[in-house]
Each structure stands twice: as C-alpha cells, then as structure tokens.
C-alpha cells in the first residue's frame, strides 16, 4: 500500500482501508512511499532510461505540488532489479530548499513536475531547470501504476508477517501538517485572533 505523500483525505482513507482489511484477514501490510512507486513506474516505462536524442539522466525525481509554494519530492536512481535506490528522502519544502537537495541531471516527473519546473523558471534568484540539469519526463510517467506498487510489494512480502500492533500504529506519510492543523496551532499560539 502507498502511504503518501499525497492528499490528506486520500492517504487517510487508503491507510485506514488497508489496516482494516489486514486486521480482518490477518495479513501483513507493506507500506511504500507514493514517490518511490512513481519513480519505479517511470523506470519501468523508460527501459534503460535512454531518450531518443541519446541523453540519459541517471536520476528520477518525482514531484507533487504541495501548494502555497511547497513541493513534495524525493530522488531515486536505478537500483537492484526493479527497486529504485533512494538518493534523497521524501520531503516537503519550498522550491529553493528542495533544489538544494535534488541533484541533476535528473528526470522530473509527477503531477507537480510542470509547476515545479515553471516555478524554477519564474524564480529570478534561481537558475532555471537546464542549469540544474532537470529534464521533464514524459507525461505517462506522472501517474504511479498499481502493477508497479504490487511488484515492489512482492519483493518485500517474503520478509513480512502479520503484526497487529505494527498495523495499528501505521500512519499516512503527510510530511507536513494540514491547513486546519496550521490554523489551530496559530490560534493556540495567539497569532490569529
């Protein structure tokens, strides 16, 4: 199961459904990052990673638009078999912080890719995408595939066992507080009245 990052409601509903089924059926739950699944899907689609023009960025950076100037991102290279090798952890940050962690050359993909690249070009204080070595991946790489999630999960299934306490404590990977949590924290701190 993918635990996020992603929409708060979608992650919460998905994790709750998976936990309920796992406990009812007494089966393990395997939690994977949605960014890792996106990178693995892109790697499968790209074959060797060779582009028609001969260019081969060695990394894949899945990006989701976190809104209000934030982006979710991580970085992966081809690893053993079909499993991506993580080179930067899942994170949510503003553009300037994120590009400091995500190294090019790399394929940029995901539902936030266009917004991420456009923000780089619009930010007068930052180099553009080309200077970072970022290239936009094909649109078909933007959506993670369920078959890829299943394949990654199968690799981990041999090590998994039913553990009700572990399943019960499983939480979505939000990476940052929701807007209502931010508003509540401000009110509690006396900043919003």
């Amino acid at each position: 199961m993918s635990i996020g990052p992603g929409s708060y409601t979608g992650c919460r509903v998905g994790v709750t459904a998976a936990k309920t089924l796992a406990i009812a059926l007494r089966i393990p739950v395997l939690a994977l990052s949605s960014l890792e699944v996106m990178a693995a899907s892109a790697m499968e689609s790209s074959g060797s990673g060779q582009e028609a023009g001969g260019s081969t960025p060695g990394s894949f950076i899945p990006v989701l638009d976190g809104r209000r100037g934030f982006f979710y991102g991580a970085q992966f290279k081809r690893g053993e078999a079909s499993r991506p090798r993580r080179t930067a952890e899942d994170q949510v940050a503003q553009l300037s912080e994120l590009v400091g962690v995500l190294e090019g050359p790399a394929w940029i993909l995901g539902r936030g890719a266009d917004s991420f690249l456009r923000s780089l070009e619009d930010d007068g204080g930052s180099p553009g995408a080309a200077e970072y070595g970022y290239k936009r991946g094909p649109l078909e790489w933007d959506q993670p595939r369920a078959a890829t999630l299943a394949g990654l999960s199968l690799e981990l299934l041999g090590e998994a066992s039913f553990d009700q306490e572990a399943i019960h404590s499983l939480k979505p990977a939000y990476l940052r507080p929701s807007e209502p949590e931010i508003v509540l924290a401000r009110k509690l701190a006396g900043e919003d009245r």
Side-chain angles (χ1 to χ4, degrees), residues 30-141:
L30 303 168
L32 294 167
S33 158
S34 57
L35 297 175
E36 181 177 3
V37 176
M38 290 170 63
S41 293
M43 288 177 192
E44 287 173 2
S45 295
S46 69
S48 68
Q50 193 78 8
E51 189 184 60
S55 165
T56 314
S59 293
F60 294 78
I61 300 175
V63 178
L64 298 171
D65 190 344
R67 296 187 175 45
R68 299 183 186 213
F70 287 90
F71 293 92
Y72 295 99
Q75 187 163 12
F76 301 87
K77 292 187 183 238
R78 291 181 189 279
E80 299 288 319
S82 62
R83 182 153 215 98
R85 184 172 53 86
R86 184 180 290 279
T87 58
E89 294 299 317
D90 291 5
Q91 53 201 292
V92 61
Q94 292 186 329
L95 182 70
S96 59
E97 295 172 59
L98 202 53
V99 296
V101 177
L102 305 174
E103 299 176 5
W107 292 107
I108 305 295
L109 57 120
R111 291 184 316 269
D114 293 325
S115 178
F116 177 82
L117 293 170
R118 191 171 36 256
S119 295
L120 271 177
E121 298 304 326
D122 292 346
D123 184 10
S126 268
E131 286 83 6
Y132 283 107
Y134 297 155
K135 294 183 82 169
R136 175 63 163 101
L139 293 177
E140 67 253 19
W141 293 1

